[in-house]
Amino acid sequence: MVEKGFIPLAWTELPLREMEERSRSIYEQMNTRRTTRHFSVRDVPRQLIEHAILCAGTAPSGAHLQPWTFVAISNHDLKQRIRKAAEEEERKTYEDRMPLAWREVLEPLGTDAIKEHLTDAPWVVVLFRQSKRLRSNGEWSPTYYSNESCGIAAGMFIHAIHHMGLVTLTHTPSPMGFLREILARPEHEHAMLVLPVGYPADSAEVPDLQRKTLEEISVFFEK
Ligand code: IYR
């Protein structure tokens, strides 16, 4: 018997050997993902973006409110407007607002205020976090853990893009209030991440960096 409003969990046990194999292969596959700033202008079919957004939409969220809106842009004029506004803010950030401690960790990554990826990539997906929801009585009330929820959804989006053989970049123009205006989103939606998506440029490069080891990123307490 299941409770009213509930259905049985669809779940099939896998043999332990297969679980081990899958745990290894998903790690190997995820470990090949890299963030690149160099995109090809080659087109990507809309359906691939739709599937990535659907993957992101499978994320768990606070009270299952799914507090996210993915705005997917392939329109060149809009991408151009976003790039212009982002570069204006970023120029101020890089020139005046960024303290030395921040500058020194960004330097090896080769980032700067020029955001070619915003016009080169065939798609730019902007993730908006919804801080409020409209209740059935017409009142606006908060969503819960929307930052955590959207962060998880973003991770799933990024993985989906990598899995389908494309690349993306997590771009965070700061401040990013201009995105609500350009993309005509309501006041309770807050731009959180800008994700250009596409094929890498033929000459795409990435910084030669290392990931932390398991020992560096984890602590286990065993029985
Ligand atoms: N938002 C800026 C600066 C920037 C900040 C961090 I932390 C990065 O990891 C990368 C860039 C930009 O997008 O260039």
Side-chain angles (χ1 to χ4, degrees), residues 90 94 98 102 106 111-112 115 171-172:
E90 290 296 275
Y94 279 88
M98 207 178 263
W102 192 352
L106 278 190
T111 68
D112 58 28
K115 302 300 179 191
H171 173 44
T172 49

Side-chain angles (χ1 to χ4, degrees), residues 167-181:
V167 294
T168 184
L169 159 75
T170 39
H171 173 44
T172 49
S174 167
M176 54 177 114
F178 65 87
L179 289 162
R180 182 194 289 144
E181 206 179 302

Side-chain angles (χ1 to χ4, degrees), residues 30 33 55-56 59 70 127 149-161 170 193 195:
M30 289 181 88
R33 187 198 59 77
C55 286
F70 291 86
L127 168 53
S149 306
C150 287
I152 298 167
M156 292 185 164
F157 180 89
I158 292 163
H159 180 51
I161 291 295
T170 39
L193 268 184
L195 298 139

Side-chain angles (χ1 to χ4, degrees), residues 19 25 36 49 61 67 78 104 107 109 133 141 178 183 209:
M19 291 166 80
S25 72
T36 184
I49 305 301
S61 62
L78 263 184
E104 78 189 14
E107 207 270 326
L109 304 180
R133 69 176 176 112
S141 291
F178 65 87
L183 299 172
L209 46 79

